[in-house]
Amino acid sequence: MFRRSFNRFCAGEEKRVGTRTVFVGNHPVSETEAYIAQKFCDNRIISSKYTLWNFLPKNLFEQFRRIANFYFLIIFLIQVTVDTPTSPITSGLPLFFVITVTAIKQGYEDWLRHRADNEVNKSTVYIIENAKRVKKESEKIKVGDIVEVQADETFPCDLILLSSCTVDGTCYVTTASLDGESNCKTHYAVRDTIELRTVESIDNLRAAIECEQPQSDLYKSLGPENLLLKGATLKNTKKIYGVAVYTGMETKMALNYQGKSQKRSAVEKSINAFLIVYLFILLTKAAICTTLKYVWQSTPYNDEPWYNQKTQKERETWKVLKMFTDFLSFMVLFNFIIPVSMYVTVEMQKFLGSFFISWDNDFYDEEINEGALVNTSDLNEELGQVDYVFTDKTGTLTENSMEFIECCIDGHKYKGVAQETDGLSQTDGPLPYLDRADKNREELFLRALCLCHTVEVKPNDTVDGVTESSELTYMSSSPDEIALVKGAKKYGFTFVGVQNGYMRVENQRKEIEEYELLHTLNFDSVRRRMSVIVKTQSGDILLFCKGADSAVFPRVQNHEIDLIKVHVEHNAMEGYRTLCIAFKEIAPDDYERVNRQLIEAKMALQDREEKMEKVFDEIETDMHLIGATAVEDKLQDQAAETIEALHAAGLKVWVLTGDKMETAKSTCYACRLFQTNTELLELTTKTIEESERKEDRLHELLTEYRKKLLREFPKSTRSLKKAWTEHQEYGLIIDGSTLSLILNSSQDSGSNNYRSIFLQICMKCTAVLCCRMAPLQKAQIVRMVKNLKGSPITLSIGDGANDVSMILESHVGIGIKGKEGRQASRNSDYAVPKFKHLKKLLLAHGHLYYVRIAHLVQYFFYKNLCFILPQFLYQFFCGFSQQPLYDAAYLTMYNICFTSLPILAYSLLEQHINIDTLTSDPRLYMKISGNAMLQLGPFLYWTFLAAFEGTVFFFGTYFLFQTTSLDENGKVYGNWTFGTIIFTILVFTVTLKLALDTRFWTWINHLVIWGSLAFYVFFSFFWGGIIWPFLKQQRMYFIFAQMLSSVSIWLTIILLIFVSLSPEMLRIVLRSVRRRSTRVHHLISSSA
């Protein structure tokens, strides 16, 4: 019987708050101890928002938090409680429609989440109980259960790997569903349990694990090499046994379900501003009518005519209360000026419109067999309003497909393929290098490339010790590492793989060398280097380190740097990615100390990352520099053309990269971010270190650059976009350390304004390159620009985990489905396969989405003002008696049925400019920038147009009614006929106005526009009792049919529709004439 305690997980520390103890197999460690089952959450995954019982109250609460819905609820309650001129149905039915449609949409989405949860929770798993494999549902797994997982199965919860079918206790895992990385990662079983490979032996295990409480970070975990995460998949390994440590909603995958912060578009903010304006108009109308009503009633005859005497109760009513109820009644009468149905139409437009991005075949990439992905549809129109684009370099502007170009050993350059007999040599360079490094140094360098990495060799490449080196398949999360291993292979040193904890290398003499892998000091974006500690066959312990020059140079001997530095800087100028290689020997006594420190740091339950970083920092010192490598990362297809198009569209493009300045600068020239005539302003460590006091030099440079730019550009920022093409272009280069100096400068008088001067410089530059950036600094840059005066719209695009912070910080986040995993695309608002797709996404889709939704918003306010203004004017002719102008059915169905579908179809299908034209002429993007279509000018135009048309509707019909008799039999038409004529003119005018605005006609547009008008006519006959005789008792009986029997009413309707649309038709004619004259002028000038 086994009695083990995994003390390695707590590294000898006492049990503390913030940890949990897990008993393997849910058995006590000691038979004498009483075992009390601990309470942990079950293994159910719940991503749904609602249950059957809380759906109604929870959904209603969320919907009524929206101001328009709450407003209409108040209006409905007023209609129910106060004697108002219109039925509660007129407000209640539209509100009910909006609430119901939204609830159905959200309920359906939640049902899909429930279904997905059930697929996971009800899946079959095998638990080891009483030395038997027991079949269970996934949701029945408890913390402490021993779970058996077979090849290609997904881990049902977070497991500690106890053993696998392999002798060395390793297994291969892919985490594509967690972070998108499709490469295989190697995990190792706990050393004490490697031998337990049968059901009987694993069930006899008696052990306890003390581990930290659940946390969401995928990359900070207890013994990450032992922990198998839920959602990851077992690959190339037949079977493993693991113990459940985190289950259900405490797994790392579940903890990462938490949604991103809600982003709001500029259009939404404009809608809220317009609502406030129209609410003010509503209150003003109600106040005017209430006041004038009491002015009218100040005459006794008007207040109490002989045919309408007041009751005793009405006479005794407090006058202030009566005035208040009259004010509320007028509010109810005019409340349709606030378009409640606009919200549901906007939601439908965004939701349905987002499919056009997913369906666009131009975004399809055959290499990854995927197209664009829309993670949120709330920001479609924001794609048409971008001012600043922040882009990563590696994997975004470049392919992230690395190719080994050359290397340098002790200052000697090596390029090309080696001769078999000669070892390492330069064969294809233009200049023959006769001198070479020492043979031992060459081999040491190549061994470092073969050992210092986390590359895995695909299994089955080695058979009985015989290596088919030509067929080796390498896998790694970093393309750089594979390029370096392949580079070493070119020169005769081949990494064969890891076997039983030994790294195997085939040297130039075809001999297999084995190195015991003692420790791997993994790469991270702060250290910017990684190391391995290995033990040779002769017993020597070596540390090999590779990393960025800035991370390695301070840790090696000074005299070794100069020879390598020249080559590193030259390679960076060529645009290559460079890494420096160093090593040191570790004495056995020193290794014992280092080993103890590493194990303690790895097993720490608190502050593990800080402790490991401290130990790594101590180990990676006093090294010896061997050489450097140069790897080429090719520019992505059409990256340069895309950046040129974005510049032409008036967008500022900033490159934020962790790469060194020379490499990034070369890439920026290659992708035309910097032109040959662009004057570069540098704020880097190199330019600032010229002075003894850095802050003084920084202030001096900032002041100098600002003066230069202010002389060149006009003060007005409005004309800045046009000025870029007319003046000298400037580009700014800044590195991470200088940015830290600017953002964290001391608060004395000399440096207090660093940030503001820096921002002034940035605003005047057409392009900015920020190099040596940490992920947090990328987010700081985006946040700084977001908070500029005028709140410019920012877009961030990247492909790696280090880009997630800036993607989440910006208004719009774009993820590239790249080779560094899918963290970026999972956290983004939109994901596209390549950087080139950004051009069409912004210039075509973004442009059209903005124009469509801006027109939708303006049109809704316009048609509702047209609707309510005649009702307001009617009060002046009915003694402010709150008499409705329209029938209740028309009030209810105006926004729901008669005018809703045409504008929805327009907002989904309209193309006022052809898509090819939008992508070929980026300058068109500038015409809609700055929320141009929802500014005060267009808003006032639509408002005055609605006021003009509403006035024409009312007074045109009013003058028609000056004739005492309109019918052949001498009958006089009444107030319901008067309201129906106005309503008919209204419906036809606002619908035909949309038809005039439509430039891109489809059969759907024709169907909904002419179909809506036909439905209105059909409904009016139906409501008037012609089609359905049972309605003959109501007040609209035969009104519509009788109205259409009059020729004068026909003529009036046609005439008033024409007069109402005349300003719009005049504007279309003038625009056409202007466009034609411009075209003629262009032809004349071009021929001349």
Side-chain angles (χ1 to χ4, degrees):
M1 182 169 295
F2 294 91
R3 295 168 182 266
R4 294 190 178 94
S5 178
F6 293 172
N7 290 326
R8 64 187 296 270
F9 285 105
C10 51
E13 299 177 31
E14 294 182 4
K15 184 177 177 181
R16 298 161 299 184
V17 177
T19 66
R20 62 164 58 179
T21 301
V22 177
F23 293 100
V24 178
N26 288 312
H27 301 302
V29 175
S30 170
E31 292 180 353
T32 58
E33 294 178 7
Y35 173 65
I36 302 174
Q38 293 181 282
K39 290 187 177 180
F40 299 110
C41 74
D42 58 27
N43 199 39
R44 281 182 303 162
I45 287 293
I46 303 172
S47 64
S48 54
K49 193 175 182 180
Y50 307 108
T51 66
L52 194 62
W53 311 111
N54 72 8
F55 174 74
L56 201 59
K58 194 172 181 179
N59 186 265
L60 288 176
F61 174 75
E62 289 176 351
Q63 290 206 57
F64 284 118
R65 287 170 65 187
R66 182 171 269 173
I67 186 168
N69 290 348
F70 184 72
Y71 162 78
F72 265 82
L73 178 65
I74 296 298
I75 292 293
F76 174 71
L77 294 175
I78 291 171
Q79 286 178 297
V80 171
T81 55
V82 178
D83 183 19
T84 55
T86 56
S87 166
I89 295 174
T90 58
S91 292
L93 194 59
L95 179 64
F96 177 77
F97 173 76
V98 169
I99 295 294
T100 304
V101 169
T102 308
I104 290 171
K105 172 178 171 285
Q106 293 177 349
Y108 173 71
E109 290 173 349
D110 203 60
W111 175 76
L112 292 177
R113 287 191 285 267
H114 272 283
R115 192 173 67 173
D117 289 346
N118 283 332
E119 285 180 8
V120 174
N121 294 333
K122 302 296 182 184
S123 60
T124 302
V125 296
Y126 287 95
I127 311 295
I128 306 304
E129 290 181 356
N130 301 320
K132 293 179 182 177
R133 294 171 73 243
V134 180
K135 186 177 179 181
K136 285 189 177 183
E137 292 178 344
S138 175
E139 63 185 6
K140 301 290 178 61
I141 296 175
K142 303 188 298 292
V143 170
D145 282 348
I146 298 174
V147 182
E148 179 186 291
V149 181
Q150 297 189 357
D152 297 321
E153 290 183 352
T154 301
F155 300 119
C157 56
D158 290 353
L159 304 167
I160 292 292
L161 178 59
L162 298 176
S163 64
S164 79
C165 60
T166 59
V167 177
D168 57 0
T170 60
C171 73
Y172 297 95
V173 170
T174 60
T175 56
S177 61
L178 293 174
D179 57 18
E181 294 183 11
S182 57
N183 55 291
C184 286
K185 299 178 176 66
T186 307
H187 287 255
Y188 303 93
V190 178
R191 291 186 180 182
D192 297 317
T193 60
I194 285 176
E195 303 296 329
L196 307 179
R197 290 192 288 273
T198 64
V199 172
E200 292 76 15
S201 60
I202 203 79
D203 189 59
N204 286 331
L205 176 64
R206 298 294 181 266
I209 302 172
E210 186 180 343
C211 57
E212 63 195 2
Q213 294 294 350
Q215 58 167 303
S216 60
D217 197 316
L218 291 174
Y219 307 102
K220 295 180 181 178
S221 58
L222 171 70
E225 69 277 2
N226 308 120
L227 186 65
L228 306 172
L229 300 181
K230 177 182 176 66
T233 305
L234 184 66
K235 291 288 185 184
N236 302 321
T237 310
K238 289 182 180 179
K239 182 173 63 177
I240 65 102
Y241 293 108
V243 57
V245 286
Y246 306 122
T247 53
M249 298 308 292
E250 292 182 342
T251 59
K252 289 185 179 293
M253 188 174 81
L255 293 173
N256 276 275
Y257 281 152
Q258 297 165 3
K260 303 182 287 289
S261 60
Q262 186 69 29
K263 295 181 179 181
R264 293 175 62 218
S265 70
V267 170
E268 279 189 65
K269 296 171 185 174
S270 298
I271 290 174
N272 291 336
F274 293 168
L275 274 175
I276 292 170
V277 172
Y278 271 72
L279 189 60
F280 175 75
I281 293 173
L282 171 64
L283 294 171
T284 304
K285 283 183 176 181
I288 290 171
C289 286
T290 305
T291 306
L292 292 178
K293 176 176 182 175
Y294 284 89
V295 171
W296 165 266
Q297 291 181 352
S298 61
T299 306
Y301 175 77
N302 292 335
D303 184 33
E304 196 173 350
W306 62 269
Y307 56 84
N308 190 17
Q309 296 290 319
K310 288 183 180 179
T311 63
Q312 188 62 31
K313 186 180 179 181
E314 287 175 332
R315 289 194 182 97
E316 292 174 356
T317 303
W318 192 27
K319 194 169 185 178
V320 174
L321 181 61
K322 186 71 172 68
M323 289 178 71
F324 179 68
T325 56
D326 281 335
F327 177 78
L328 292 179
S329 295
F330 280 117
M331 283 270 294
V332 169
L333 191 64
F334 303 142
N335 80 83
F336 287 93
I337 197 171
I338 306 293
V340 65
S341 59
M342 180 180 67
Y343 280 97
V344 74
T345 309
V346 166
E347 273 197 21
M348 289 174 69
Q349 190 269 348
K350 289 183 174 184
F351 175 70
L352 296 173
S354 63
F355 286 105
F356 290 111
I357 293 177
S358 304
W359 293 338
D360 194 330
N361 289 330
D362 289 343
F363 293 150
Y364 182 78
D365 185 71
E366 292 182 356
E367 185 181 340
I368 62 172
N369 202 29
E370 289 183 45
L373 176 69
V374 179
N375 292 325
T376 175
S377 59
D378 293 336
L379 302 169
N380 294 341
E381 65 276 10
E382 205 81 328
L383 293 169
Q385 294 298 296
V386 176
D387 297 304
Y388 286 82
V389 174
F390 299 94
T391 174
D392 178 41
K393 182 183 80 69
T394 306
T396 305
L397 294 176
T398 60
E399 287 282 4
N400 202 11
S401 178
M402 309 299 177
E403 182 184 352
F404 186 89
I405 299 298
E406 63 181 59
C407 60
C408 163
I409 303 172
D410 288 344
H412 302 280
K413 178 181 175 183
Y414 297 83
K415 187 174 184 178
V417 182
Q419 303 293 332
E420 289 185 9
T421 56
D422 193 27
L424 200 62
S425 65
Q426 170 160 346
T427 59
D428 61 349
L431 297 174
Y433 279 69
L434 300 176
D435 56 334
R436 289 171 45 183
D438 181 74
K439 180 73 173 175
N440 291 331
R441 297 285 286 181
E442 289 179 354
E443 292 188 352
L444 180 66
F445 177 82
L446 291 172
R447 287 188 179 98
L449 294 186
C450 286
L451 296 171
C452 188
H453 55 72
T454 57
V455 173
E456 300 289 343
V457 177
K458 196 171 182 179
N460 304 325
D461 283 328
T462 58
V463 182
D464 299 328
V466 179
T467 306
E468 298 290 339
S469 60
S470 59
E471 298 178 7
L472 286 175
T473 304
Y474 295 120
M475 300 176 293
S476 174
S477 57
S478 170
D480 292 80
E481 292 198 321
I482 294 176
L484 294 178
V485 171
K486 286 183 176 179
K489 184 179 176 183
K490 277 186 186 179
Y491 297 114
F493 274 75
T494 304
F495 172 62
V496 178
V498 181
Q499 191 171 3
N500 298 326
Y502 285 84
M503 300 183 78
R504 305 175 76 239
V505 177
E506 182 184 270
N507 61 26
Q508 292 171 337
R509 297 176 292 278
K510 302 298 180 182
E511 299 167 349
I512 297 294
E513 302 174 359
E514 291 193 343
Y515 299 85
E516 184 182 357
L517 179 59
L518 301 174
H519 288 285
T520 301
L521 282 56
N522 288 318
F523 175 87
D524 65 67
S525 56
V526 178
R527 284 168 54 241
R528 297 180 60 76
R529 60 184 180 274
M530 69 89 60
S531 301
V532 293
I533 301 175
V534 296
K535 189 174 185 180
T536 65
Q537 290 169 308
S538 59
D540 296 329
I541 298 174
L542 301 175
L543 177 138
F544 290 108
C545 177
K546 73 176 180 200
D549 56 313
S550 59
V552 174
F553 283 168
R555 299 174 176 275
V556 298
Q557 313 302 316
N558 287 330
H559 67 275
E560 299 171 340
I561 296 175
D562 294 335
L563 290 172
I564 307 294
K565 191 174 184 180
V566 176
H567 290 276
V568 169
E569 290 181 350
H570 174 74
N571 287 330
M573 289 294 291
E574 294 290 325
Y576 300 141
R577 292 166 62 85
T578 57
L579 286 174
C580 294
I581 311 295
F583 90 106
K584 79 171 182 180
E585 290 190 35
I586 302 177
D589 294 341
D590 290 337
Y591 175 71
E592 289 301 321
R593 176 180 55 81
V594 165
N595 184 51
R596 187 174 61 254
Q597 289 176 337
L598 280 171
I599 291 175
E600 287 178 0
K602 285 181 179 180
M603 294 304 108
L605 292 175
Q606 294 181 354
D607 303 323
R608 182 183 304 107
E609 286 71 34
E610 291 79 4
K611 291 177 180 178
M612 288 177 70
E613 187 179 335
K614 185 178 179 183
V615 175
F616 289 176
D617 193 61
E618 290 176 5
I619 297 171
E620 296 169 329
T621 53
D622 299 323
M623 297 185 292
H624 298 279
L625 190 62
I626 317 171
T629 61
V631 173
E632 183 182 22
D633 188 5
K634 295 177 182 176
L635 205 63
Q636 275 199 17
D637 181 39
Q638 296 183 36
E641 291 83 353
T642 302
I643 285 183
E644 277 191 330
L646 296 178
H647 268 154
L651 277 66
K652 289 191 174 184
V653 182
W654 291 28
V655 174
L656 311 182
T657 177
D659 221 332
K660 66 197 313 294
M661 188 189 84
E662 291 79 7
T663 309
K665 188 173 168 184
S666 176
T667 304
C668 288
Y669 273 112
C671 68
R672 301 176 204 162
L673 182 75
F674 296 151
Q675 305 290 338
T676 51
N677 62 337
T678 303
E679 185 174 337
L680 297 181
L681 312 175
E682 290 189 16
L683 288 172
T684 60
T685 307
K686 189 184 293 185
T687 56
I688 288 173
E689 283 179 348
E690 295 171 5
S691 172
E692 292 182 6
R693 182 162 159 75
K694 290 183 180 180
E695 290 196 354
D696 289 343
R697 177 60 180 160
L698 176 62
H699 188 269
E700 183 184 323
L701 281 172
L702 287 170
T703 309
E704 178 189 334
Y705 292 161
R706 181 176 63 170
K707 285 179 181 177
K708 179 183 289 189
L709 290 166
L710 287 177
R711 281 197 307 269
E712 187 70 33
F713 288 102
K715 290 184 180 179
S716 172
T717 55
R718 286 185 181 179
S719 57
L720 196 57
K721 289 182 179 180
K722 293 180 181 177
W724 291 345
T725 56
E726 299 166 7
H727 295 75
Q728 167 69 46
E729 288 191 1
Y730 287 90
L732 177 69
I733 300 177
I734 185 169
D735 59 15
S737 58
T738 311
L739 181 68
S740 297
L741 205 60
I742 290 171
L743 297 180
N744 307 317
S745 56
S746 57
Q747 295 300 310
D748 58 70
S749 58
S751 57
N752 193 28
N753 59 349
Y754 281 180
R755 185 193 291 244
S756 62
I757 298 175
F758 172 66
L759 286 173
Q760 289 177 42
I761 294 170
C762 289
M763 289 176 68
K764 302 290 185 184
C765 290
T766 54
V768 178
L769 166 62
C770 303
C771 46
R772 295 298 197 196
M773 289 281 125
L776 185 63
Q777 287 182 311
K778 291 184 177 184
Q780 285 178 322
I781 286 275
V782 176
R783 190 181 307 119
M784 186 172 65
V785 173
K786 270 175 68 177
N787 295 329
L788 283 172
K789 186 179 179 182
S791 302
I793 305 299
T794 58
L795 178 147
S796 295
I797 180 168
D799 73 316
N802 60 334
D803 302 315
V804 170
S805 55
M806 73 171 182
I807 284 173
L808 293 177
E809 183 63 44
S810 60
H811 293 95
V812 183
I814 311 286
I816 298 285
K817 298 178 178 181
K819 298 179 181 178
E820 289 189 12
R822 294 292 172 89
Q823 300 98 315
S825 60
R826 287 168 64 87
N827 286 279
S828 64
D829 303 305
Y830 303 88
V832 291
K834 299 286 184 185
F835 181 77
K836 67 179 180 181
H837 297 137
L838 188 63
K839 179 180 176 181
K840 187 176 183 182
L841 188 65
L842 297 186
L843 303 187
H845 286 284
H847 187 117
L848 291 175
Y849 281 133
Y850 174 75
V851 170
R852 290 165 181 167
I853 203 165
H855 200 285
L856 182 151
V857 170
Q858 297 279 30
Y859 180 78
F860 254 97
F861 284 107
Y862 150 82
K863 72 186 181 72
N864 278 33
L865 185 56
C866 286
F867 182 40
I868 288 304
L869 185 59
Q871 177 73 75
F872 171 70
L873 296 174
Y874 185 57
Q875 297 307 304
F876 288 83
F877 295 88
C878 67
F880 305 99
S881 61
Q882 298 148 16
Q883 169 65 38
L885 177 62
Y886 311 116
D887 180 65
Y890 289 155
L891 282 171
T892 305
M893 299 186 69
Y894 175 71
N895 278 316
I896 296 177
C897 299
F898 300 148
T899 59
S900 58
L901 287 179
I903 184 59
L904 179 60
Y906 177 94
S907 64
L908 288 171
L909 303 171
E910 175 62 8
Q911 292 181 27
H912 64 297
I913 301 175
N914 185 273
I915 287 181
D916 292 334
T917 306
L918 288 172
T919 50
S920 60
D921 188 1
R923 292 171 301 173
L924 295 169
Y925 191 85
M926 280 194 278
K927 293 186 177 180
I928 60 163
S929 62
N931 203 11
M933 293 181 67
L934 292 175
Q935 293 299 319
L936 183 61
F939 176 69
L940 290 177
Y941 169 78
W942 282 89
T943 304
F944 283 124
L945 183 65
F948 168 75
E949 291 180 3
T951 306
V952 169
F953 300 160
F954 182 81
F955 286 107
T957 310
Y958 175 76
F959 287 128
L960 172 70
F961 268 66
Q962 296 307 300
T963 307
T964 55
S965 176
L966 293 172
D967 210 354
E968 292 176 358
N969 58 11
K971 287 183 179 178
V972 178
Y973 288 143
N975 66 311
W976 294 116
T977 305
F978 180 70
T980 304
I981 294 171
I982 293 175
F983 191 80
T984 303
I985 299 166
L986 163 72
V987 171
F988 274 79
T989 301
V990 297
T991 305
L992 292 174
K993 161 75 169 75
L994 195 63
L996 287 174
D997 290 340
T998 303
R999 299 283 179 274
F1000 185 76
W1001 284 91
T1002 66
W1003 65 268
I1004 297 176
N1005 296 94
H1006 283 291
L1007 177 66
V1008 295
I1009 287 178
W1010 313 124
S1012 293
L1013 295 177
F1015 175 74
Y1016 165 68
V1017 174
F1018 173 83
F1019 176 82
S1020 297
F1021 279 119
F1022 166 86
W1023 192 239
I1026 300 295
I1027 298 172
W1028 198 12
F1030 301 105
L1031 293 171
K1032 65 173 66 174
Q1033 299 302 321
Q1034 53 97 23
R1035 62 193 177 192
M1036 293 298 289
Y1037 178 63
F1038 225 75
I1039 289 288
F1040 192 74
Q1042 189 71 21
M1043 179 190 83
L1044 293 183
S1045 65
S1046 170
V1047 176
S1048 55
I1049 289 180
W1050 273 93
L1051 291 172
T1052 302
I1053 291 173
I1054 294 170
L1055 178 64
L1056 292 181
I1057 290 173
F1058 180 79
V1059 172
S1060 299
L1061 293 175
S1062 57
E1064 192 66 17
M1065 290 188 285
L1066 182 63
R1067 189 171 70 92
I1068 291 170
V1069 170
L1070 290 174
R1071 189 197 300 152
S1072 178
V1073 170
R1074 193 183 306 120
R1075 192 182 293 122
R1076 191 173 301 163
S1077 62
T1078 305
R1079 195 180 299 125
V1080 170
H1081 177 73
H1082 178 71
L1083 288 171
I1084 293 172
S1085 59
S1086 61
S1087 61

